[in-house]
Amino acid sequence: MDRLEFVPGQFTSFTEMIGGKEITRAYSLASAPSGNNRFELCLNRVEAGHLSPRLFDMQPGDRIQMLQPLGMFVLRQPPRDSILIATGTGIAPFRSMLQAHLKTSSCAFTLLFGVRYESHLLYRQEFEEMARVHANFRFWPTLTRPDSGWTGRLGRVQAHLTEAIGLLGDRRDVDFYLCGLKEMVDETRVLLKSQGFDRKQIFYEKYD
Ligand SMILES: Cc1cc2nc3c(=O)[nH]c(=O)nc-3n(C[C@H](O)[C@H](O)[C@H](O)COP(=O)(O)OP(=O)(O)OC[C@H]3O[C@@H](n4cnc5c(N)ncnc54)[C@H](O)[C@@H]3O)c2cc1C
Ligand SMILES: NC(=O)c1ccc[n+]([C@@H]2O[C@H](COP(=O)([O-])OP(=O)(O)OC[C@H]3O[C@@H](n4cnc5c(N)ncnc54)[C@H](OP(=O)(O)O)[C@@H]3O)[C@@H](O)[C@H]2O)c1
């Protein structure tokens, strides 16, 4: 691959021979296309995992086979007002989308981000800054296992969905993008459908 080309929301894959087997795993690009082949990733080390510990142990100068980015988890074109819902490293594609679209898009984006602890709020400062600068962006982090000092939102992302939908009034011409833990994605899709949203306006990517 000479030129890294991708649409925000897509993932690349890394392949390595491990224990005599070719192991390939997908990773979302966590930054917007830069035009210069540089990119960022947002990774969890899965302790018992095959590939992710390898990625964490890489040193400058090490090489790994990387595949051309792919994937359908991208913003509808043209984008509409959207609610973006992430758990953990599921935040990665949303960072890429927001970096790429917020400056030029007038659509309203609400980012609902669920993690266990305050220290797991990846890119927190960056999203807070985006929310300060862009009136069309809301950042709603929520913690499931907060310290006593946390005064923000509590509980899983589903607990805040009704409020986010409520801000839309009676409108139904919005999109939902879900990324992260499989169970979160499955449960949230059921919730959205029970509130009358169509599967065609619910986009998702499951990580586990
Ligand atoms: C489209 C797509 C995009 C992805 N993007 C990212 C990304 O941006 N960042 C990222 O960190 N991961 C991402 N993932 C997950 C990633 O592809 C791997 O599944 C993950 O790194 C584990 O791989 P492994 O080889 O280390 O573990 P494996 O050897 O595959 O798994 C070992 C054990 O860990 C469990 N496990 C697998 N995945 C996870 C997980 N994510 N969290 C906790 N436990 C897990 C498995 O059930 C298994 O029991 C993405 C997955 C998909 C499908
Ligand atoms: N060392 C680090 O800095 C670091 C950072 C991130 C992750 N990790 C580790 O990596 C592993 C995977 O991390 P992860 O961030 O992908 O996932 P995670 O930490 O297991 O979960 C992320 C968030 O999703 C919530 N969640 C779980 N099931 C859900 C569901 N069905 N619906 C909605 N929300 C749900 C979790 O709430 P609950 O608390 O209720 O489970 C948590 O708030 C974990 O073992 C984690 O500890 C380590």
Side-chain angles (χ1 to χ4, degrees):
M1 185 185 356
D2 292 331
R3 254 178 91 78
L4 178 70
E5 286 181 358
F6 65 98
V7 180
Q10 287 189 315
F11 60 87
T12 185
S13 304
F14 296 113
T15 294
E16 183 103 310
M17 290 298 287
I18 301 175
K21 270 196 183 162
E22 191 174 79
I23 302 286
T24 301
R25 297 284 184 268
Y27 295 95
S28 303
L29 281 313
S31 49
S34 63
N36 65 7
N37 280 3
R38 295 183 76 87
F39 62 95
E40 293 174 46
L41 296 171
C42 167
L43 304 175
N44 250 345
R45 182 180 186 121
V46 176
E47 264 329 316
H50 288 83
L51 193 71
S52 61
R54 293 281 181 110
L55 296 175
F56 272 84
D57 293 343
M58 284 177 79
Q59 300 298 318
D62 286 353
R63 298 166 74 94
I64 189 165
Q65 189 183 348
M66 177 177 171
L67 308 182
Q68 187 67 48
L70 292 171
M72 308 297 286
F73 189 67
V74 297
L75 287 180
R76 178 203 288 277
Q77 286 308 323
R80 307 196 296 186
D81 289 354
S82 303
I83 299 178
L84 317 176
I85 304 166
T87 50
T89 49
I91 197 68
F94 296 137
R95 181 174 182 245
S96 180
M97 292 175 186
L98 291 165
Q99 282 185 348
H101 289 278
L102 262 189
K103 281 188 198 115
T104 52
S105 177
S106 56
C107 294
F109 293 101
T110 299
L111 174 61
L112 193 43
F113 183 21
V115 296
R116 288 184 173 172
Y117 313 104
E118 199 169 349
S119 63
H120 287 192
L121 285 175
L122 300 156
Y123 313 117
R124 177 184 183 176
Q125 282 190 333
E126 186 177 324
F127 291 129
E128 286 176 347
E129 181 60 18
M130 281 180 186
R132 258 193 297 277
V133 174
H134 300 284
N136 56 332
F137 176 59
R138 286 190 199 92
F139 176 48
W140 287 6
T142 181
L143 304 188
T144 49
R145 306 184 193 201
D147 284 339
S148 55
W150 175 255
T151 55
R153 290 172 184 273
L154 295 170
R156 292 181 166 185
V157 287
Q158 295 92 324
H160 307 282
L161 201 51
T162 305
E163 186 185 345
I165 292 169
L167 295 175
L168 304 167
D170 291 335
R171 290 182 45 208
R172 282 292 182 266
D173 57 339
V174 293
D175 293 316
F176 298 87
Y177 295 84
L178 324 175
C179 187
L181 297 169
K182 176 181 176 301
E183 283 181 10
M184 179 282 283
V185 170
D186 291 343
E187 289 171 26
T188 306
R189 286 175 66 214
V190 168
L191 209 60
L192 289 171
K193 285 182 195 162
S194 74
Q195 299 219 11
F197 293 100
D198 191 271
R199 64 182 174 80
K200 290 193 184 123
Q201 62 196 128
I202 309 171
F203 304 86
Y204 59 93
E205 189 114 277
K206 300 177 185 181
Y207 272 11
D208 56 339

